[in-house]
Amino acid sequence: MNMSPLKVGQEFLVTIKRIGINGEGIGYYKKQAVFIPGTLVGEEVVATCTRVAGGYAEAELVRVKKKSRHRCQPACEVYGQCGGCQLQHMTYPEQLRIKRDAIWQAVERYTNLDPEELDIRPTMGMDNPYNYRNRAQMPVGYDEDGVMVGFYSMNSRELVNVTDCEVQYEEINKVVNHAVDLLDDYKVFAYAPKTKKGTARHIVVRRGYRTGEIQVTFVLANKDFKKMYSLALDLMKYCPEVKSVYVNYNSDDTHEIFGPDMIKVAGEDFITDRLGKFKFNLSPRAFYQLNPEQTVKLYNQVKYAASLTGTEKVVDAYCGVGTIGQWVADQASEVRGVDITRAAIIDAKANAKLNNIDNTYYAVGKAESIVPKWANEGFKPDVVIVDPPRTGMGPELIEMLKRVQPKRIVYVSCNPSTLAKNLKELTKKYRVDYIQPIDMFPQTSHVEAVVRLTRMDKSEKVKKDSRR
């Protein structure tokens, strides 16, 4: 059994060699990998070991002895306490570089591809990498001043008070603070999961990117509070941009924010927003990208990668509320979307109608089952767009794609590791034309990517197989 050279509580000196997928610096102490949040490549740091696990250790930064030129002052007062952001100590150009590098490392680790030979493009960033999130989901708690909201600290359930989140719209911060004051005024106490006492669990606020309309949802653990209508009217009076107020009841011991009961309290049924030429009605449960400015870039990259001429049949797998498929629909003969969530398909149909798109069709179910059925009926896709969750595509869907063999696959990824694992299988029949990283969440370690894959002809496949 290998003994770790580090003990919990031990202080040590180490040089950071690279950045991990969660934004932490990685150094090597006597050949053992050590993960240290808040550090940068090339820095010499003093750290204290906090955990020893199989083959690696975790540590907490004590001080930086040799600083990187990419280190900067975080904008947020509670950075390092709040677990929402991981990279505010890093200059933005360096954030973009390490996000591209995260994809490079994943390809190198999980595939047989040589990243040197791939066209992995520079990460598309933002002109202003702050105040970009259009939605806040903030747990309610207590501090010495009474009711407060915030975000949980890294890897814990300790709530950090946040009154001015640097990555949310400023208007959202303003509305959240007014909502907190009203909860205090109306004596709506924060819910404590351990004792199951109290009422208020979360405040959820969404703002339209183009319209400026705001929707607020109060998530309560029970129906003890009887004056929600009065509170809602007060909030709309103080914040006229609030057009819609809901209450949601969630009494379950769960990590899910919303419970089954969603009730409109005051104002409109939904708020509206626009992305490009498209209009969307947003109810509290409706899925909508959190960074609209970068979403336009993402969807335009999908459209570019699809290379449509007006004659192609397109499948939008994991279609959600239909936004990506509808974005490309004007250059396709027909777009068919499929998703396992019935509510999402209902929204997708409504969005198509709202935007006068008449060449879309939607079905509830698994793409790996429905797409072959469509192919047997004569709808064989030329292009398949996939936008899977962080877990990536399942083996059944990959096998379906290899069997149906569309000319092109456009893969939208939010996880470099699962992307690379999927590419290992897909590149048995497809070549990777390029990978375009996009920074949807500045100041965090997350990176999205659009990948264009083209079906190899026989000569390409023979050449590829001969290299093995």
Side-chain angles (χ1 to χ4, degrees):
M1 179 178 177
N2 292 329
M3 295 294 293
S4 170
L6 286 170
K7 306 293 183 186
V8 172
Q10 178 181 340
E11 192 170 278
F12 62 99
L13 181 69
V14 69
T15 299
I16 304 303
K17 299 296 186 182
R18 60 189 179 92
I19 301 296
I21 60 171
N22 295 313
E24 69 281 81
I26 302 175
Y28 294 88
Y29 183 80
K30 296 182 179 180
K31 298 184 179 181
Q32 182 180 53
V34 188
F35 295 81
I36 312 173
T39 58
L40 303 177
V41 172
E43 291 190 328
E44 192 175 274
V45 304
V46 176
T48 300
C49 181
T50 57
R51 180 171 179 258
V52 174
Y56 71 94
E58 297 174 0
E60 187 176 77
L61 177 65
V62 176
R63 65 182 180 275
V64 180
K65 287 195 69 175
K66 179 185 174 184
K67 282 187 179 181
S68 165
R69 63 186 176 88
H70 300 297
R71 179 171 287 277
C72 64
Q73 181 64 34
C76 179
E77 293 181 355
V78 294
Y79 180 68
Q81 301 173 48
C82 169
C85 296
Q86 301 83 41
L87 302 180
Q88 279 195 31
H89 63 289
M90 185 184 296
T91 61
Y92 191 54
E94 181 68 358
Q95 290 184 33
L96 298 180
R97 188 196 69 77
I98 68 107
K99 290 186 180 192
R100 177 183 183 272
D101 191 55
I103 295 172
W104 179 289
Q105 289 183 47
V107 169
E108 189 173 48
R109 180 175 181 180
Y110 294 113
T111 77
N112 300 320
L113 304 170
D114 182 356
E116 289 277 3
E117 296 180 357
L118 287 182
D119 183 7
I120 305 178
R121 299 178 176 181
T123 309
M124 296 180 70
M126 301 185 71
D127 292 334
N128 175 23
Y130 286 97
N131 302 119
Y132 61 82
R133 285 183 68 106
N134 65 358
R135 191 170 191 246
Q137 300 180 154
M138 303 185 75
V140 180
Y142 286 112
D143 64 8
E144 62 274 11
D145 296 321
V147 177
M148 62 91 161
V149 293
F151 296 106
Y152 294 117
S153 59
M154 191 75 70
N155 301 320
S156 86
R157 300 298 288 175
E158 180 183 346
L159 192 61
V160 177
N161 186 5
V162 178
T163 59
D164 186 19
C165 177
E166 295 292 340
V167 298
Q168 292 174 175
Y169 288 163
E170 292 178 357
E171 296 85 352
I172 287 180
N173 290 327
K174 170 193 161 189
V175 169
V176 167
N177 288 329
H178 274 295
V180 170
D181 289 344
L182 285 169
L183 288 177
D184 229 0
D185 292 345
Y186 277 84
K187 294 183 172 48
V188 186
F189 300 115
Y191 177 73
K194 288 184 179 179
T195 63
K196 300 191 183 303
K197 293 182 179 180
T199 298
R201 297 186 71 156
H202 284 83
I203 297 174
V204 181
V205 180
R206 172 149 50 193
R207 178 184 182 271
Y209 172 55
R210 293 295 185 194
T211 64
E213 297 176 357
I214 289 180
Q215 182 177 74
V216 179
T217 304
F218 292 90
V219 182
L220 307 182
N222 50 58
K223 298 183 180 180
D224 293 348
F225 180 56
K226 306 299 183 184
K227 297 182 179 180
M228 182 54 72
Y229 179 66
S230 296
L231 188 153
L233 292 183
D234 283 345
L235 180 61
M236 296 172 80
K237 176 183 175 182
Y238 295 140
C239 305
E241 60 271 36
V242 175
K243 305 297 182 184
S244 173
V245 179
Y246 277 78
V247 63
N248 177 269
Y249 294 104
N250 185 358
S251 59
D252 293 337
D253 184 14
T254 174
H255 292 298
E256 295 291 329
I257 291 176
F258 288 150
D261 297 330
M262 184 76 72
I263 301 168
K264 188 184 76 171
V265 179
E268 306 297 329
D269 291 346
F270 48 77
I271 60 172
T272 62
D273 198 19
R274 290 186 176 276
L275 280 180
K277 65 181 181 180
F278 298 97
K279 181 179 179 182
F280 299 99
N281 292 334
L282 304 175
S283 63
R285 292 186 190 275
F287 171 80
Y288 196 58
Q289 290 281 359
L290 295 173
N291 185 341
E293 182 179 334
Q294 291 297 89
T295 297
V296 171
K297 295 179 185 178
L298 176 73
Y299 289 177
N300 283 339
Q301 284 299 312
V302 171
K303 196 168 191 175
Y304 175 78
S307 304
L308 303 174
T309 63
T311 62
E312 291 87 358
K313 297 172 181 175
V314 177
V315 164
D316 182 10
Y318 305 97
C319 72
V321 298
T323 49
I324 291 180
Q326 291 171 29
W327 199 268
V328 307
D330 63 337
Q331 293 184 354
S333 66
E334 185 179 353
V335 176
R336 293 195 179 188
V338 56
D339 198 283
I340 60 172
T341 306
R342 185 172 298 277
I345 292 298
I346 292 171
D347 285 344
K349 291 177 180 178
N351 286 333
K353 185 176 180 180
L354 182 66
N355 289 290
N356 299 312
I357 300 171
D358 58 8
N359 63 336
T360 56
Y361 175 85
Y362 294 99
V364 179
K366 294 182 177 180
E368 53 265 37
S369 302
I370 290 178
V371 175
K373 180 175 173 238
W374 286 343
N376 291 335
E377 294 170 351
F379 185 88
K380 188 176 186 299
D382 303 292
V383 177
V384 173
I385 300 168
V386 294
D387 184 10
R390 289 188 62 79
T391 51
M393 290 193 291
E396 298 88 356
L397 182 56
I398 292 173
E399 288 306 310
M400 180 277 290
L401 289 171
K402 287 159 65 176
R403 190 168 64 253
V404 174
Q405 294 188 41
K407 182 179 178 181
R408 273 185 299 282
I409 298 171
V410 180
Y411 191 136
V412 181
S413 166
C414 61
N415 185 331
S417 298
T418 54
L419 167 65
K421 291 172 183 177
N422 287 166
L423 289 181
K424 182 179 180 180
E425 295 302 315
L426 290 171
T427 49
K428 292 176 181 178
K429 290 186 179 288
Y430 288 82
R431 69 169 182 269
V432 177
D433 293 330
Y434 65 84
I435 301 175
Q436 176 61 69
I438 300 174
D439 188 17
M440 297 293 288
F441 303 105
Q443 317 308 328
T444 79
S445 58
H446 302 296
V447 60
E448 304 242 346
V450 175
V451 186
R452 182 166 72 189
L453 299 108
T454 300
R455 187 180 67 225
M456 291 186 289
D457 57 30
K458 289 182 180 180
S459 63
E460 285 181 287
K461 193 170 186 310
V462 169
K463 187 177 179 180
K464 183 176 185 294
D465 291 341
S466 68
R467 293 177 181 172
R468 296 179 177 176

